Amino acid sequence: MLIRSPSGIPSSEITPESVYLERRQFMQGLGVGAIAMAGLGLPSVGLAASDDARQALAFSPVAKKADNPFYTDEKAASFVEASSYNNFYEFGTNKTDPAKHAHTLTTDPWSVQVEGHVAKPGSYPLEDILKLMTLEERIYRLRCVEAWSMVIPWVGFSLADLISVFEPTSDAKYIEFTTLHRREEMRGQRSAFSTIDWPYTEGLRMDEAMNPLAFMSVGMYGKTLPNQNGAPIRLVVPWKYGFKSIKSIVKLRFTSSRPKTSWESIAPSEYGFYANVNPTVSHPRWSQAYERRLPSSLLRPSRIKTEMFNGYGDQVAGLYKGMNLRRYY
Ligand SMILES: Nc1nc2c(c(=O)[nH]1)N[C@H]1C(S)=C(S)[C@@H](COP(=O)(O)O)O[C@H]1N2
Ligand SMILES: [Mo]
């Protein structure tokens, strides 16, 4: 199915000049960040290459106001930090594996298959999706279940806007998301030791997916996503543990019953379907009361208190009214 841009104007022509200027100054700042990182002994493997491959995006920058839920004035990680310390098991289980190995992934052409309880199922080429969506920037905290977190400036569009394109029916109560399964390009999927039954899947309840915070990201730091961060399109759900923010998405399925997710299937006692950030419910093997805000070092451990719903309670607590969050973890 072909979707036409309403205006026909390439998005690159409608970015205000000021955004480009700001971005250029920002990118110049990155060189300094790379040197600082080298000092911390963090890897720089493959980063120059992945940065070169990234395209500038046209987007409206985030409004830097204290009451904007899509913004935080907490210090963002640098691009190098956010693209060299990753979880993306399709490329290996070490934090440095994705930056080393994700360059093998082909992200163009890319389509998203839409199935289930929708009026408009089909295979949607990513470029057609992008013509329909207005790109914006959001600076979100992402809290990993492993008790570290980062602040990252994402570029993308609201998941609710995307969902409305497919016209879900009243039977659509959940959405299941699926990552690409392509063993030739994803060395983690070829590993004999992998615990994940590929492809990686995730899910959201429909009202969670429609919450204005839920975001589909196609970029970060003003440019298209590096492969290790989930190119060309990934989910960002900032009030939930990072594993819900599924990368390199190829399928959305609208279902009437709750989908089984990868982590829940591997260890149901450790990872629940909801996976809301909750400092009062420990992981069976460690506390979730504190987190390490990256970058951190021995001298500056950056240990901070974890907030309920990762600090997004004003926006999302209502979704879980009356639910026992110890039971529905
Ligand atoms: N397909 C897929 N998506 C994934 C993962 C993964 O292994 N495979 N890891 C998740 C985890 S545990 C985290 S913390 C975030 C990390 O996102 P980042 O590397 O962009 O910071 O991606 C999530 N999305
Ligand atoms: Mo994570």
Side-chain angles (χ1 to χ4, degrees), residues 2-241:
L2 194 73
I3 302 166
R4 297 222 169 267
S5 157
S7 62
I9 303 168
S11 51
S12 57
E13 283 171 24
I14 51 180
T15 301
E17 182 76 359
S18 60
V19 176
Y20 277 117
L21 288 176
E22 240 184 66
R23 198 179 304 147
R24 192 177 302 150
Q25 281 161 7
F26 181 73
M27 295 309 288
Q28 281 165 355
L30 279 179
V32 180
I35 293 162
M37 286 293 287
L40 292 177
L42 286 158
S44 57
V45 201
L47 289 171
S50 69
D51 193 29
D52 289 348
R54 296 163 67 236
Q55 313 283 307
L57 291 169
F59 61 91
S60 37
V62 69
K64 296 183 174 166
K65 292 186 298 191
D67 62 347
N68 180 359
F70 307 145
Y71 171 73
T72 171
D73 58 11
E74 291 161 288
K75 194 173 179 294
S78 71
F79 169 74
V80 172
E81 288 151 355
S83 59
S84 57
Y85 189 90
N86 303 98
N87 270 331
F88 199 169
Y89 276 35
E90 282 81 346
F91 298 102
T93 53
N94 292 326
K95 302 286 174 276
T96 52
D97 282 337
K100 280 185 207 149
H101 304 300
H103 63 90
T104 57
L105 176 64
T106 309
T107 58
D108 184 18
W110 194 275
S111 296
V112 179
Q113 182 75 28
V114 178
E115 299 177 358
H117 297 294
V118 288
K120 296 187 169 166
S123 175
Y124 290 79
L126 182 59
E127 63 262 31
D128 294 346
I129 291 174
L130 290 176
K131 280 176 202 153
L132 290 172
M133 299 291 125
T134 309
L135 293 189
E136 59 178 295
E137 181 180 51
R138 296 187 179 185
I139 304 180
Y140 277 163
R141 295 177 285 277
L142 192 66
R143 166 60 158 83
C144 180
V145 73
E146 298 164 300
W148 51 267
S149 62
M150 279 194 210
V151 172
I152 297 179
W154 303 101
V155 178
F157 46 85
S158 98
L159 175 58
D161 287 352
L162 180 64
I163 289 171
S164 68
V165 170
F166 311 129
E167 298 177 15
T169 69
S170 57
D171 290 331
K173 305 280 192 250
Y174 296 88
I175 307 181
E176 178 193 68
F177 302 81
T178 305
T179 293
L180 180 72
H181 190 192
R182 192 184 284 158
R183 299 178 81 233
E184 320 83 84
E185 295 187 0
M186 297 173 130
R187 73 193 325 252
Q189 293 180 340
R190 300 196 295 270
S191 163
F193 306 103
S194 167
T195 48
I196 296 178
D197 185 16
W198 308 108
Y200 189 106
T201 61
E202 256 309 332
L204 291 175
R205 215 171 58 191
M206 201 57 157
D207 59 343
E208 297 179 310
M210 294 301 289
N211 184 276
L213 283 175
F215 197 57
M216 293 297 280
S217 169
V218 295
M220 60 186 220
Y221 301 86
K223 291 175 154 192
T224 51
L225 287 172
N227 288 359
Q228 57 266 41
N229 292 88
I233 182 165
R234 59 93 54 90
L235 183 64
V236 184
V237 197
W239 72 95
K240 292 176 180 281
Y241 290 120

